[in-house]
Amino acid sequence: MVNETILTQILDGCLQDYSRYLAGNYKGYYITIEPAPGEYIIKINADASNDPGNQQLNRFLEQYKNSENPVSRIQTHTYMCVVWISEPRLETAVPIILNKTINPVIDYLAENGYSSGCDKCGNSSETLNCCEINGGHHFQCRKCIHELPDFPQAPVQNTGTSKSNFIAGLTGAVLGSLIGCAVWVLIYKLGYIAGLAGAITAVCAMKGYEILGGVLDKKGVAGSVIITIIMIYGANKFAWTWDAYDSLKGYGWSFTEVFRELDYILEESELTGGYITDLVIGYVLTAFASFKSIIAGFRAGR
């Protein structure tokens, strides 16, 4: 639905992208964001014992709609409110508009004691799943999902309870990180320290983990970070090996021999310091460039 960079900017990166919609838990409230022609539909599960039927919430949202904000219409239900906003013309403005719209509503809910549970029965005692009902997406408890007319065919996204396949995920992280490693080597051959490629390595590793592992949970983020550290080390060594090989191939050295004996070659050439410096600077730039993506992954993960 949105690219990775924009996703990390929406509600502190707490939502998961399920291609046709975003869903997740933000500050204790279940939220879905769905695109529609020319607008976004925002659903927030909320109810309070001192506000039967969310009548007070409805009055707040009516006033909120009439103030200076992009809200075009609102609707309240017993356990949920729905807000429509006009779609921004620029994709880069999407996080700004969504955050500006949603945060005041969340602040109101938190300040007035609203909790977040199933949008059909209000059950807040268990982790909810996001399911598709008549083309829309709703966070509901297991009991209500089982009561759907087309259960078990109803497509359910386990946004709260699913766990990743760790081994398959790590395989995906390795495969994904190879893209960043290739960029690292190419940038290095152009004469630059490849910190940006390190960030690409981290993002691709997490995406690869999610694709093969099923979901990017906290252990997936941690595993992807470890894979990134290892692969950056390998990419830097490969790049330096390539340079050394260009100088030594005329003396009968093979690429494999240079790779295996690189430490000795660097020591004899008094280049060990430069090699270590490039690696350290690369790690620092990688950490700086990928910090937001990693933190967003931990926040969104389970």
Side-chain angles (χ1 to χ4, degrees):
M1 181 175 151
V2 296
N3 66 48
E4 186 73 25
T5 300
I6 289 179
L7 181 63
T8 61
Q9 297 171 357
I10 298 172
L11 303 181
D12 299 332
C14 288
L15 305 184
Q16 293 276 343
D17 190 341
Y18 292 99
S19 182
R20 292 184 295 136
Y21 65 101
L22 305 180
N25 192 298
Y26 177 59
K27 295 184 177 180
Y29 294 91
Y30 290 100
I31 296 177
T32 64
I33 301 175
E34 304 173 56
E39 61 185 359
Y40 284 107
I41 305 171
I42 303 164
K43 298 173 185 173
I44 305 174
N45 289 20
D47 71 286
S49 58
N50 60 353
D51 183 18
N54 280 335
Q55 296 180 14
Q56 296 177 33
L57 176 58
N58 184 75
R59 287 193 289 271
F60 164 78
L61 290 175
E62 283 289 355
Q63 294 175 354
Y64 184 55
K65 178 174 71 72
N66 294 327
S67 61
E68 294 184 6
N69 61 68
V71 176
S72 58
R73 56 193 172 115
I74 62 99
Q75 193 176 82
T76 56
H77 303 271
T78 304
Y79 302 108
M80 176 182 69
C81 64
V82 187
V83 175
W84 285 262
I85 65 169
S86 301
E87 181 180 12
R89 293 183 179 180
L90 298 176
E91 186 181 21
T92 53
V94 169
I96 299 173
I97 298 301
L98 288 174
N99 293 342
K100 179 182 177 182
T101 303
I102 296 173
N103 275 312
V105 178
I106 295 297
D107 290 342
Y108 174 86
L109 296 174
E111 291 169 2
N112 290 275
Y114 287 81
S115 60
S116 190
C118 173
D119 69 10
K120 183 178 179 182
C121 71
N123 179 11
S124 58
S125 63
E126 64 178 73
T127 301
L128 306 182
N129 293 321
C130 193
C131 60
E132 183 175 329
I133 304 174
N134 298 325
H137 297 90
H138 301 259
F139 274 106
Q140 294 191 353
C141 64
R142 283 172 292 184
K143 179 178 180 294
C144 290
I145 290 175
H146 278 260
E147 291 175 353
L148 293 175
D150 56 349
F151 183 85
Q153 288 76 26
V156 175
Q157 296 286 355
N158 278 322
T159 58
T161 59
S162 60
K163 295 182 179 180
S164 67
N165 184 322
F166 188 61
I167 301 301
L170 286 184
T171 302
V174 171
L175 294 175
S177 67
L178 288 175
I179 298 172
C181 290
V183 176
W184 179 290
V185 174
L186 291 175
I187 292 177
Y188 180 86
K189 292 296 288 183
L190 294 175
Y192 301 97
I193 297 175
L196 175 61
I200 295 173
T201 304
V203 172
C204 289
M206 288 189 286
K207 194 64 180 177
Y209 187 100
E210 183 178 6
I211 291 172
L212 293 190
V215 64
L216 184 64
D217 49 16
K218 286 184 171 63
K219 70 174 181 288
V221 176
S224 298
V225 170
I226 294 172
I227 292 295
T228 298
I229 293 171
I230 295 171
M231 297 299 282
I232 285 176
Y233 175 85
N236 188 62
K237 184 173 182 178
F238 186 92
W240 274 76
T241 298
W242 193 347
D243 270 359
Y245 172 70
D246 286 342
S247 301
L248 296 174
K249 61 183 178 182
Y251 297 94
W253 286 70
S254 69
F255 189 91
T256 302
E257 290 172 332
V258 175
F259 186 86
R260 186 173 58 246
E261 300 296 335
L262 183 63
D263 290 343
Y264 169 77
I265 295 169
L266 293 176
E267 184 177 345
E268 289 296 310
S269 305
E270 298 183 350
L271 294 173
T272 302
Y275 172 81
I276 294 175
T277 299
D278 277 5
L279 183 60
V280 171
I281 294 176
Y283 277 137
V284 171
L285 292 177
T286 298
F288 179 79
S290 59
F291 177 78
K292 286 187 177 180
S293 295
I294 293 171
I295 295 299
F298 270 114
R299 286 175 174 171
R302 293 167 285 281

